[in-house]
Amino acid sequence: MSDAYKKPLTHSNATERVDKSAAYWNQLKGALPIWLCIWGLAFRRMVLRRGRSAENFATVDSFALVDIILVGIMTILVLKKLAKGNPSIRRFFPVSGEFLVAMYCLGIVSMIWSPMPSYSGYRAYEVLISIFAIYVSLSCFSQKNLEKGALTLAVGALFIFYGGRWLETGVSSIAGLHVDAASAAMIFAYCFGELLTSPDEERKRVLRRLAVLSLGILVISTSSSSNIGAAFGVLTAIFSKRNRFLAFSLLLFLALVSFMMISGADDLQSAMLQIFFPGKNYEGVMSGTGRVSVFKYYWPLVFDHPWFGYGFGIATRTLGFYANTAHNIFLDILLAIGFVGFTLFFLFFFNFIFENIKATKIRMRSALGCRAMFAAGLVNCLGSPFIGNFWAVPIIVFSSFLALHHFSYYQQTTKKI
């Protein structure tokens, strides 16, 4: 423990903590109007569900109108913040972020060739302005409070997501939480990664609590995609940190699980399936809970419109196999904006990896946590995507940590913030 935390609480220490708390709340006031819009979108999606038929998915009803109003207010707030502060766009979006923005801009442009122009244009804009709003709101925080702001926004979205599910299914229903847990997986992976590197005991206490909270939600959710994503995030953090004890323990655990799976003992195999793929049998796991048939249906359709896709957000709703998503991030992007959009996504991916490696070398705080979060989120997207085709609550969590990484990276590499 550092000397700062061995000292008894004195009047000067107490005053310093009060000053820090006051500074955070003042900065929070600047971000809160935008956050209320972002959380409002999450609440609308989770609580005020439209329940419309497949034929009427693009109908503008009263619930859709709430979406449009929130997006409009958010746009005004973002423009006011940008006009007032006039910050450098490069501060908001280093190279990797620019490619992510370009991908969603292409989604807006896809209204030119989309059979439903207004729907494609609006859905892409909704995601893009949400990402912009998250970056602009987090720019209200100083570098010292930036992580706290990102975690507050992310955890707020997490509570709204599961609170909404619980309200929908009944407060007494644990089954209501059996849904995709990408948000919990990313928060857990971030906290785990930072716990491996942080020397600050006060910060570690907060990270531990959030790790326990998100892990609990992850376990209750029984989402295989999120479980695997979280596990991959943990693996990424452990091997990036090169912690030999944790790596050895993990390999020993995997060897034990492998032995139990191939031992031929039905009870052991069933127990392992329930741990890693809760609620699913062997046939369900092998078929990806029906996802394999979805992949086989959509993959040939990619090559009918290979370069620019069918238009943002409509392919999986209009090509005869109605769904919100193709259940794979690559298929979603290819169907929505084609190989051109897919190229932009990979440029975003590789540039983020490059930036994160550089951030790790200069010992940037949050670098390892953001790497683990990124791994968890993208692996989750292989089965339950939230990037590239529609707006979903996990995009709030992903963008919050992405903004934390980009702002910190800019500060460390330019010293201009």
Side-chain angles (χ1 to χ4, degrees):
M1 186 180 294
S2 66
D3 292 340
Y5 294 98
K6 292 179 182 178
K7 294 179 180 179
L9 185 63
T10 64
H11 177 72
S12 59
N13 289 339
T15 302
E16 184 180 355
R17 292 188 181 185
V18 170
D19 289 343
K20 287 181 180 179
S21 178
Y24 173 75
W25 285 108
N26 285 333
Q27 293 160 18
L28 178 62
K29 289 177 184 177
L32 195 56
I34 292 177
W35 285 9
L36 290 175
C37 291
I38 295 168
W39 287 335
L41 278 176
F43 182 83
R44 209 294 291 165
R45 297 301 171 85
M46 298 312 303
V47 179
L48 305 177
R49 289 174 174 267
R50 298 176 68 183
R52 65 211 182 282
S53 64
E55 298 80 25
N56 298 318
F57 74 91
T59 303
V60 180
D61 55 18
S62 58
F63 290 159
L65 191 60
V66 172
D67 260 34
I68 294 169
I69 291 172
L70 287 171
V71 168
I73 295 172
M74 194 156 51
T75 301
I76 294 170
L77 291 173
V78 167
L79 291 175
K80 285 181 66 177
K81 283 285 185 185
L82 290 175
K84 183 178 180 180
N86 194 26
S88 166
I89 195 68
R90 186 164 291 278
R91 172 190 172 183
F92 282 176
F93 300 106
V95 176
S96 61
E98 290 173 358
F99 283 116
L100 182 65
V101 168
M103 185 184 79
Y104 283 108
C105 285
L106 181 62
I108 297 173
V109 174
S110 74
M111 63 189 298
I112 296 172
W113 57 86
S114 169
M116 303 182 70
S118 58
Y119 185 85
S120 291
Y122 173 76
R123 286 303 182 195
Y125 178 76
E126 181 181 40
V127 181
L128 183 63
I129 193 61
S130 296
I131 294 173
F132 257 103
I134 289 167
Y135 274 68
V136 170
S137 67
L138 289 176
S139 72
C140 296
F141 293 92
S142 65
Q143 191 64 33
K144 290 181 179 179
N145 290 325
L146 184 58
E147 181 188 56
K148 190 174 181 180
L151 285 169
T152 302
L153 178 57
V155 173
L158 183 68
F159 277 122
I160 290 171
F161 183 87
Y162 285 98
R165 288 292 298 180
W166 222 331
L167 285 172
E168 182 184 21
T169 57
V171 175
S172 62
S173 176
I174 294 295
L177 299 183
H178 291 195
V179 291
D180 175 41
S183 298
M186 288 186 285
I187 293 172
F188 174 72
Y190 175 83
C191 293
F192 183 89
E194 287 304 295
L195 282 169
L196 293 181
T197 59
S198 178
D200 186 331
E201 286 299 323
E202 185 176 354
R203 179 173 178 244
K204 287 172 76 170
R205 279 196 297 272
V206 175
L207 291 171
R208 284 193 199 100
R209 290 168 186 167
L210 292 179
V212 171
L213 169 69
S214 53
L215 180 61
I217 291 175
L218 192 62
V219 170
I220 293 173
S221 74
T222 68
S223 168
S224 299
S225 296
S226 301
N227 289 347
I228 294 170
F232 198 83
V234 168
L235 279 170
T236 300
I238 289 173
F239 286 103
S240 297
K241 182 61 178 172
R242 299 178 183 177
N243 187 309
R244 294 181 181 178
F245 173 75
L246 285 176
F248 177 77
S249 300
L250 187 62
L251 290 173
L252 187 64
F253 172 73
L254 292 174
L256 180 62
V257 169
S258 300
F259 171 75
M260 294 172 73
M261 291 294 288
I262 65 176
S263 64
D266 292 339
D267 290 343
L268 290 177
Q269 290 180 354
S270 178
M272 289 299 100
L273 282 173
Q274 290 306 308
I275 291 172
F276 291 100
F277 303 97
K280 301 173 181 64
N281 55 26
Y282 180 80
E283 290 75 17
V285 172
M286 291 299 101
S287 67
T289 321
R291 285 176 171 85
V292 172
S293 60
V294 176
F295 300 158
K296 289 180 178 179
Y297 180 85
Y298 281 122
W299 178 244
L301 299 178
V302 168
F303 298 96
D304 291 340
H305 294 77
W307 297 112
F308 294 101
Y310 292 85
F312 193 91
I314 64 153
T316 56
R317 294 174 171 85
T318 59
L319 295 179
F321 197 112
Y322 184 84
N324 286 330
T325 170
H327 292 288
N328 181 276
I329 185 174
F330 302 136
L331 266 180
D332 268 349
I333 292 173
L334 287 168
L335 288 166
I337 45 181
F339 281 98
V340 174
F342 191 69
T343 301
L344 292 172
F345 172 77
F346 263 96
L347 288 171
F348 157 67
F349 174 83
F350 285 118
N351 276 283
F352 176 86
I353 297 300
F354 172 79
E355 290 163 5
N356 188 263
I357 291 172
K358 185 175 179 180
T360 303
K361 288 180 178 179
I362 61 177
R363 300 182 182 277
M364 185 184 89
R365 193 172 87 158
S366 80
L368 185 58
C370 286
R371 180 183 299 183
M373 177 283 302
F374 194 78
L378 290 190
V379 169
N380 188 99
C381 282
L382 295 176
S384 298
F386 54 84
I387 298 172
N389 190 47
F390 65 108
W391 192 98
V393 175
I395 198 69
I396 300 174
V397 178
F398 184 78
S399 299
S400 297
F401 288 121
L402 203 61
L404 170 62
H405 183 275
H406 282 158
F407 285 7
S408 300
Y409 179 79
Y410 183 91
Q411 190 269 340
Q412 291 291 323
T413 55
T414 66
K415 304 296 182 183
K416 291 181 181 178
I417 291 183

